[in-house]
Amino acid sequence: METIISVILIFMILGAIYALHARDLLSALISCGLVGYGLVICFLLLRAPDVAIVQIVIETITLIIMVSVVLASTRHEIEADAGQTGKTSIYKIWGSMAMVMIIMLVMFFTFRLAIIHLDPFGDHTLRMSRAYLEGAAERTGSANLVTGVLFDFRGYDTFGEATILFTAVIGVLTVLRLRGKK
Amino acid sequence: MNVYLLCFILFLVGLYGVLTRRNVIKIIIGLSFMEFSIFLFLILIGYIEGGAAPILSKTVVTTRFVDPLPQAMVLTAIVIAMAANAMLLAIAVRLYKRYGTFDIRKINELKG
Amino acid sequence: MQGMSIIVKKVSQLITALIFMYGIYIITHGHLTPGGGFAGGAILAGAFILLVLANGSELLKLKQKEEGSSLTESLAILAFLLLATLTLFFGTYVFFNNYLPGGTVGNLISAGIIPIYNIVIGIEVGAALFTIFLALAIYKEEMIK
């Protein structure tokens, strides 16, 4: 299982790098869709069908909205720079490379500190999950345990999510309805 | 363990995009990559080798289930991330109307 | 917003009913099978978006639709809050308690209040996504003018 997910993840990383470097914004969006749909396959392999259904639909709608925005404006990433690149000194280049290396080392070190106390992949032991799994169907009456957690044990979370969605919609309406000064 | 590491590399790719790209749409794409990697990391933590999907039915008789808690949290997080992306896109559209470009350097220059 | 060719219009009109039924199935069976309010609501929003994209619409009609979907969304989240607050007057007097009888696990009518929450959340998510899409479409139309 670990190998398959690693292979899909490597493809996702390649797609992500291409999406960030594409000249055309439409092809960048299509590569972004590649990453999102690869995520759907990972979710299906990891036994999370609920999350996979939500991700595939949301990814499609996000792509529709993004493509409509790009088609309404421009497709080119950056208009051609009018020769503003002067001479960059060699010390500046070495300095920025050293900076990147230091930051990457620090981030990998902290990430290793974060995951070193986790259980190895596929061998998950949490007391909390046992409490959610044992007798959850009898307590909530829902055969889908994820829905049971979502609306019974963790109802506050769902309510907060609905509030955030409502706020985001109000924000979109407000930003787009603004009449700018001429 | 190396799955976690690859997940972190995907996060770093998104961070690189946010920090170095000059196009607003590219920055939004980089943010969505960071979100994807976090979702995948949370689901990976809850996976159990040989466990079944956390749905009871008459045909499944096993008692070994995948942890449902990270799945429920990620389920809500995906919809929130989509709403946040839509909000950012709305702001990008307004910026394009105002300045006629997605380039954030020019947006900085033409102040007022 | 301009519509597409007659083939796309006919096929989308035939298919949208199926997508709509599938979304309602996902929402109402959310406590038995994979899916639930979030996934079903997004599928409903996708069906509406398909109709608008294929058939096209006038600016005035788009504004009407946006008003309706925005109102639906607000009412849905209000209903969710009221359903959760109603718990304070029943049973153990705790916010977000499951106060309806549970029934047998695996039946369509079971799990107490969870199916009702599912339906309300489904309407909320669907209306929210459709409102975001309509807001961008209206903005585009007004900019072309």
Side-chain angles (χ1 to χ4, degrees):
Chain A
M1 179 60 69
E2 200 170 356
T3 346
I4 306 173
I5 290 177
S6 301
V7 171
I8 297 174
L9 254 172
I10 289 170
F11 274 110
M12 282 164 63
I13 290 170
L14 290 179
I17 292 173
Y18 179 73
L20 291 177
H21 281 276
R23 287 267 155 206
D24 194 346
L25 280 183
L26 268 187
S27 46
L29 286 182
I30 289 166
S31 320
C32 181
L34 189 146
V35 181
Y37 293 125
L39 197 65
V40 174
I41 299 173
C42 286
F43 285 159
L44 280 179
L45 287 174
L46 291 170
R47 312 277 197 285
D50 302 81
V51 191
I53 294 176
V54 173
Q55 170 69 21
I56 197 167
V57 183
I58 291 287
E59 182 64 31
T60 311
I61 293 178
T62 313
L63 275 186
I64 290 174
I65 291 177
M66 279 186 153
V67 166
S68 81
V69 166
V70 166
L71 284 185
S73 45
T74 177
R75 278 179 63 172
H76 303 291
E77 187 193 355
I78 297 288
E79 287 75 21
D81 291 328
Q84 53 89 31
T85 49
K87 250 176 63 176
T88 42
S89 74
I90 189 92
Y91 299 111
K92 211 171 168 184
I93 295 175
W94 279 112
S96 35
M97 280 177 78
M99 198 77 186
V100 167
M101 278 296 152
I102 290 170
I103 289 176
M104 276 188 73
L105 274 180
V106 169
M107 291 197 79
F108 271 108
F109 182 69
T110 44
F111 183 67
R112 193 177 155 276
L113 274 188
I115 66 169
I116 202 158
H117 297 296
L118 283 179
D119 301 315
F121 175 69
D123 186 23
H124 166 73
T125 46
L126 263 186
R127 274 183 301 132
M128 214 53 212
S129 79
R130 234 175 294 136
Y132 280 130
L133 284 173
E134 275 166 13
E138 283 72 36
R139 272 187 282 161
T140 64
S142 153
N144 187 347
L145 299 181
V146 177
T147 309
V149 171
L150 205 61
F151 288 109
D152 198 309
F153 295 124
R154 296 274 174 147
Y156 280 114
D157 273 320
T158 312
F159 180 60
E161 187 275 340
T163 317
I164 292 177
L165 195 59
F166 180 68
T167 317
V169 170
I170 287 180
V172 168
L173 288 179
T174 315
V175 168
L176 289 183
R177 201 56 59 74
L178 228 62
R179 294 265 169 270
K181 295 183 290 192
K182 285 285 152 62
Chain B
M1 267 311 159
N2 64 359
V3 181
Y4 296 145
L5 205 65
L6 282 171
C7 222
F8 184 62
I9 291 175
L10 186 60
F11 182 87
L12 282 185
V13 169
L15 189 64
Y16 162 77
V18 171
L19 289 181
T20 61
R21 295 295 104 185
R22 298 195 294 254
N23 194 313
V24 179
I25 301 283
K26 288 280 180 76
I27 291 175
I28 295 172
I29 291 176
L31 264 180
S32 66
F33 289 158
M34 287 160 77
E35 285 157 0
F36 288 163
S37 76
I38 297 292
F39 300 154
L40 189 54
F41 184 68
L42 286 177
I43 296 280
L44 279 173
I45 285 178
Y47 179 68
I48 294 179
E49 193 70 49
I55 291 153
L56 302 180
S57 73
K58 294 187 179 76
T59 56
V60 178
V61 287
T62 178
T63 54
R64 235 174 117 79
F65 288 116
V66 173
D67 191 0
L69 180 62
Q71 297 196 9
M73 295 297 106
V74 169
L75 200 68
T76 57
I78 288 176
V79 181
I80 290 175
M82 191 266 163
N85 270 356
M87 181 79 207
L88 286 174
L89 275 173
I91 294 174
V93 166
R94 289 299 299 195
L95 281 177
Y96 187 80
K97 171 86 180 302
R98 185 85 173 76
Y99 293 108
T101 177
F102 277 138
D103 194 343
I104 53 172
R105 288 174 311 169
K106 294 194 177 126
I107 291 170
N108 268 337
E109 281 164 14
L110 298 174
K111 206 169 276 177
Chain C
M1 182 179 275
Q2 284 224 329
M4 297 186 186
S5 68
I6 183 108
I7 301 172
V8 180
K9 277 183 189 170
K10 279 295 163 201
V11 171
S12 74
Q13 282 163 10
L14 288 178
I15 279 189
T16 312
L18 284 179
I19 300 176
F20 206 82
M21 288 299 291
Y22 182 62
I24 290 176
Y25 163 77
I26 289 265
I27 290 179
T28 50
H29 287 243
H31 55 294
L32 303 178
T33 53
F38 293 99
I43 293 174
L44 290 188
F48 280 117
I49 289 175
L50 175 65
L51 265 188
V52 173
L53 275 181
N55 286 311
S57 198
E58 308 263 318
L59 183 57
L60 276 177
K61 275 194 176 173
L62 278 180
K63 278 188 175 168
Q64 266 180 2
K65 280 176 193 163
E66 195 208 11
E67 259 177 36
S69 66
S70 181
L71 190 68
T72 314
E73 194 220 346
S74 316
L75 284 181
I77 194 169
L78 196 63
F80 189 62
L81 182 56
L82 281 182
L83 278 175
T85 319
L86 214 60
T87 322
L88 293 175
F89 305 105
F90 288 107
T92 49
Y93 312 108
V94 180
F95 198 49
F96 263 113
N97 191 23
N98 198 343
Y99 50 86
L100 290 181
T104 39
V105 176
N107 284 353
L108 180 58
I109 299 188
S110 68
I113 200 158
I114 289 180
I116 303 174
Y117 278 155
N118 253 332
I119 292 171
V120 172
I121 280 287
I123 294 171
E124 208 262 337
V125 171
L129 297 187
F130 189 50
T131 311
I132 291 174
F133 172 77
L134 279 181
L136 282 165
I138 288 173
Y139 181 78
K140 220 160 97 179
E141 287 289 298
E142 281 180 345
M143 212 169 61
I144 288 171
K145 248 189 207 173

